[in-house]
Amino acid sequence: MSSSEQHVSSSQPSLDLPARLLRKSQFTYKDLAQLALSAPSTPLRVIAHVDLDAFYAQCEGIRLNQPEDQPLAVRQWDGLIAVNYPSRKYGLSRHIDISEAKRLCPDLIMQHVATWKIGEEKWSYHEDAYDNIATHKVSLDPYRLESRRILQTIKDSLPASPIQRVEKAGIDEVFLDLSAQVYSTLLERYPELQGPAPYDDPSENLPAPPNAPLEWENDSVVGLETLALNHGKLDTDWDDIAISIGSEIVRFVRASIKKHLKYTCSAGISNNKMISKLGSAYNKPNQQTVVIGRATEHFLKDIKLTKIRNLGGKLGARIANVFKTESIQDLLQVELEQLKREFGEESGAWIYETIRGVDLSEVTPRTQIKSMLSAKSFRPAVNSPEVAAKWLRIFVADIFSRLVEEGILENKRRPKTMALHHRQRGHTRSRQLPIPLRKVIDEIMLFELAQSLLGQLAIEGDPWPCDNLSLSVGGFEDGIGDRGIVSFLVKGEDAKTLNEIQGKQIFIPQLSLKDGGNGGPTSNGIKKFFTKKGLTMEKLESQSPPLEHFGEGTKDATKIWSESLSSKLTNTGDMISLEQETTPQYTCNKCNQSFPMEERAEHEDWHFAKSLEEAESHRLPQTQPHLHTDVKDSRKRGGDFSQSKASAAKRPTTSRKTEKGQARLAFGPSI
């Protein structure tokens, strides 16, 4: 961006300060401070949208090691779902049929997507998939895996959190809030911004920046020439400098993706998400577009309403129908009150701001999956439970492979529910079951749950013929394995109160599988939560899923799981116990037994569980195990006993029926 030099009038007083310091920016110290916090309200904000170019086609081109100028399309059954940019020169698009695509581009490579096939263990690329739609199911796993690699490369190219703010907006696109990183760079390059505001007043204007040309390299800067022509000159301000720094960062990110993974992508850089997303599509492929703040109106004037984020659906169509236009320029003439009358107070105000380029939505990191779904529409319809079961196995294998990526084997994340959706002659029925908390999630367990759900649907009515089945898991939780045993014994208000007490007073670690010897359990009751008699390493391995039924990825994952388990567990006859190494010893003052210091918390938890067993046996009301050590530790952590006692006192005391196998646990003052 080349800006004309600032000319100072000869009538201005001569001072020792540089002339530019006598001028003021339109932006304030408050705006600068908000930039450091990535506040959506600051006009200095810098947001980028990075969008992979024809992502599915790129994935296949790179996998097949094809040159970048080779025309390539991705096929799914009888249609094209992606075409790369070289093929578009021949007039190809996603809406063209197969025969026409071959006629227009004889050298076109058409790669069918990977599929799951009935009877096979894993998804793969089948040459005859498009002729066997009845026995194949589309797999998008190759693209999901590449998407994750690209996302990680983007994160590795940016400073760590909290400066890094990345939102995955889709399988092939991300938003970046670069504000905090831009703020740091501004202060490094322009020391005059480091000082406090004059008179400690954040509303004071910043000094004007140097009016030197900005380096945009090959970026497309929207409206720059038009703005300079209309105003005669275009003085640089801090928003221009901030967005130019943002464009540098995005160039580096895009170059990193290309260098490490070979993918090209386009980007848009502006001061909000809406404009940056429009910008990334403005000059594809492999380019980036900058929309400076004052060029927003100029940029939007040729954009169709329905191209704007969140206006591509019914709302956008309704606006276009009411006002008989999709032109932003025409809609700018509509008064705010008229929009509110037509679309309601909130929607009308939002539309009014949006068509003027105002968008205060935040870039929110949302990289964790909330649910997973595997589905198949049947042509012809499925007419037997045997065929349906084969598809359920594929759904389960599909979902489990993605659960492995989410860390299910390491117990990092775990779904709570499974749902099955069944469609028959346009009518859909759904059933849902909880996934047992204390069971290891594997393909056998998931398949049994899926069969149970299908059985429920069959009991309620003949499910055949079936036009579509979909299986999903959801309600993911983090670190489910760290729960204490008591959380499985109480529910409702009791559980809520227990959580409050645990958070403030008592730390209940994961229970040990080790027999406590003389100090260990000697009766039934709570003992069942510690041991499972007859569970040996051989039996555990024999209960593992039969690998021949699953895919290669599952074999690898199960092997890793087995090796990891074997390294931590040893066969001790009737029990599985943790291997002991030479560690400092701890002697319990309750049972005089010695244990490695690392097992101290687990052993004390055994005493706690034993006291629960006694409470269960004798029905002692208002008893609370006395965990002196844990209480002391809680005090060190700043636990507030008066608050936790008050919480327990405030619990409802109305009698409720306990579930079978449970006893009510009362938590009153313990010390």
Side-chain angles (χ1 to χ4, degrees), residues 520-537:
T522 58
S523 62
N524 295 323
I526 206 74
K527 180 177 179 179
K528 62 187 176 183
F529 293 103
F530 286 88
T531 63
K532 186 176 182 180
K533 288 192 174 182
L535 182 60
T536 63
M537 194 64 185

Side-chain angles (χ1 to χ4, degrees), residues 50 64 82 104 144 152 229 251 289 303 308 345 351 360 385 433 485 515 537 562 581 584 610 655:
V50 179
L64 298 171
L104 291 173
R144 292 192 188 100
Q152 189 58 54
L229 179 64
R251 279 197 295 271
T289 299
I303 300 290
I308 293 179
E345 191 77 17
I351 295 167
L360 299 182
L433 281 174
I485 191 172
D515 193 323
M537 194 64 185
S562 178
E581 299 176 359
K610 179 64 177 174
S655 175

Side-chain angles (χ1 to χ4, degrees), residues 211-223:
N211 211 13
L214 298 176
E215 295 296 331
W216 301 105
E217 294 193 8
N218 295 322
D219 294 359
S220 172
V221 185
V222 173

Side-chain angles (χ1 to χ4, degrees), residues 36-246:
L37 301 174
S38 301
S41 57
T42 178
L44 298 176
R45 189 185 188 206
V46 181
I47 304 296
H49 181 259
V50 179
D51 189 18
L52 274 295
D53 298 322
F55 179 53
Y56 288 4
Q58 271 204 91
C59 285
E60 298 301 346
I62 291 171
R63 182 182 68 84
L64 298 171
N65 198 29
Q66 293 294 317
E68 290 186 1
D69 60 353
Q70 168 63 48
L72 184 147
V74 179
R75 178 177 184 176
Q76 180 175 318
W77 313 133
D78 293 328
L80 301 180
I81 62 171
V83 293
N84 67 359
Y85 282 88
S87 66
R88 298 182 190 187
K89 296 177 181 178
Y90 294 85
L92 272 62
S93 70
R94 288 183 298 176
H95 306 293
I96 202 169
D97 61 48
I98 301 298
S99 58
E100 182 68 6
K102 289 180 178 178
R103 187 187 68 80
L104 291 173
C105 184
D107 296 329
L108 177 69
I109 294 177
M110 280 193 291
Q111 174 62 56
H112 197 280
V113 296
T115 57
W116 295 86
K117 181 181 179 181
I118 285 183
E120 292 188 350
E121 300 174 342
K122 191 181 183 298
W123 58 263
S124 61
Y125 287 90
H126 299 88
E127 293 184 2
D128 61 345
Y130 55 87
D131 288 330
N132 294 279
I133 188 172
T135 57
H136 288 250
K137 174 193 172 319
V138 168
S139 173
L140 299 181
D141 281 5
Y143 311 131
R144 292 192 188 100
L145 293 171
E146 289 302 285
S147 176
R148 289 191 174 212
R149 294 177 65 209
I150 293 166
L151 180 62
Q152 189 58 54
T153 302
I154 291 173
K155 290 183 175 182
D156 292 343
S157 304
L158 299 171
S161 296
I163 291 179
Q164 178 185 115
R165 301 190 71 173
V166 178
E167 176 183 331
K168 184 177 179 180
I171 195 171
D172 61 349
E173 57 178 324
V174 297
F175 285 106
L176 311 176
D177 189 335
L178 304 173
S179 302
Q181 186 177 353
V182 167
Y183 170 83
S184 299
T185 307
L186 277 174
L187 265 58
E188 289 175 4
R189 296 183 183 179
Y190 304 94
E192 61 266 34
L193 297 179
Q194 296 179 10
Y199 319 111
D200 290 327
D201 182 1
S203 65
E204 283 285 322
N205 293 83
L206 294 166
N211 211 13
L214 298 176
E215 295 296 331
W216 301 105
E217 294 193 8
N218 295 322
D219 294 359
S220 172
V221 185
V222 173
L224 193 60
E225 297 80 7
T226 303
L227 287 169
L229 179 64
N230 290 345
H231 295 86
K233 61 181 180 179
L234 186 62
D235 292 336
T236 302
D237 210 335
W238 292 114
D239 60 337
D240 305 317
I241 295 176
I243 211 166
S244 72
I245 294 172

Side-chain angles (χ1 to χ4, degrees), residues 67 135 239 245 283 473 592 627 658:
T135 57
D239 60 337
I245 294 172
N283 199 24
V473 295
N592 295 321
L627 299 184
T658 57

